[in-house]
Amino acid sequence: MKNLRSYRYNTGAILIVAGMFGLLVNQSLAATTGNITISGVVSAATAIVVNSVAGYNSLDLSTTASDQAVANVREINNTTNGYTVTLTSQNSGLLKNGTLGSVSYSAKYNGSSVSLSSTPVTITNGAASNSVVNVVKSFQISYTGTAASNLMVGTYSDTLTFTIAAN
């Protein structure tokens, strides 16, 4: 029986020594610093916002207008390859009253003349950039007034479509 007791005692001592050795091993593997990498994602944003200027839909066609602002256009782009803005005129630069008549007009975008006779026309070629683009540009029209007695009654209009695309 003495041997059995001694054996049990030795087993307990072995377990205690093994447990202490495990603590020493775990402590020696513990790091003194740690890190984490956090990240987020930004989606591509290429957009155009067209805001009309007061009077855009009540032009006095009997009086001459020169560089009359009719819209402010916001160009937005966060891609690095640049972007392009095109403009399409439904009536190729004419304010039309159905088949009853028309008044021609010219246009400027951000101060530069724009030809609307053949559309679509590129009005912005945004170069590659490492900066976000968020700019507002003015769209203006000019026309020569025509006496009401020389035009058929009705509404004269043209629909303009601004399109932006990332390159």
Side-chain angles (χ1 to χ4, degrees):
M1 191 88 157
K2 188 175 182 181
N3 286 342
L4 184 58
R5 193 180 281 181
S6 175
Y7 177 72
R8 285 187 187 167
Y9 181 76
N10 289 340
T11 304
I14 292 171
L15 290 176
I16 289 172
V17 169
M20 288 174 53
F21 180 71
L23 286 175
L24 290 174
V25 169
N26 285 340
Q27 288 176 353
S28 67
L29 294 178
T32 58
T33 63
N35 60 39
I36 182 173
T37 301
I38 60 173
S39 64
V41 177
V42 174
S43 300
T46 302
I48 197 157
V49 179
V50 180
N51 290 311
S52 57
V53 172
Y56 79 99
N57 61 351
S58 59
L59 302 170
D60 181 357
L61 300 180
S62 65
T63 3
T64 298
S66 180
D67 297 334
Q68 180 171 344
V70 292
N72 289 313
V73 181
R74 181 178 299 276
E75 299 173 358
I76 301 166
N77 185 58
N78 71 348
T79 65
T80 57
N81 292 333
Y83 67 101
T84 303
V85 177
T86 57
L87 173 62
T88 302
S89 166
Q90 183 178 10
N91 298 327
S92 299
L94 296 173
L95 297 169
K96 292 179 81 173
N97 182 5
T99 59
L100 300 177
S102 63
V103 173
S104 65
Y105 69 96
S106 61
K108 286 184 180 177
Y109 187 66
N110 201 37
S112 298
S113 295
V114 176
S115 172
L116 299 174
S117 59
S118 61
T119 60
V121 61
T122 299
I123 56 176
T124 298
N125 253 331
S129 174
N130 289 330
S131 299
V132 173
V133 174
N134 189 336
V135 296
V136 176
K137 297 179 178 178
S138 178
F139 184 77
Q140 304 166 318
I141 65 168
S142 298
Y143 55 87
T144 301
T146 305
S149 59
N150 294 324
L151 294 171
M152 291 298 294
V153 68
T155 301
Y156 292 72
S157 65
D158 188 14
T159 300
L160 302 170
T161 303
F162 295 84
T163 305
I164 191 169
N167 294 338

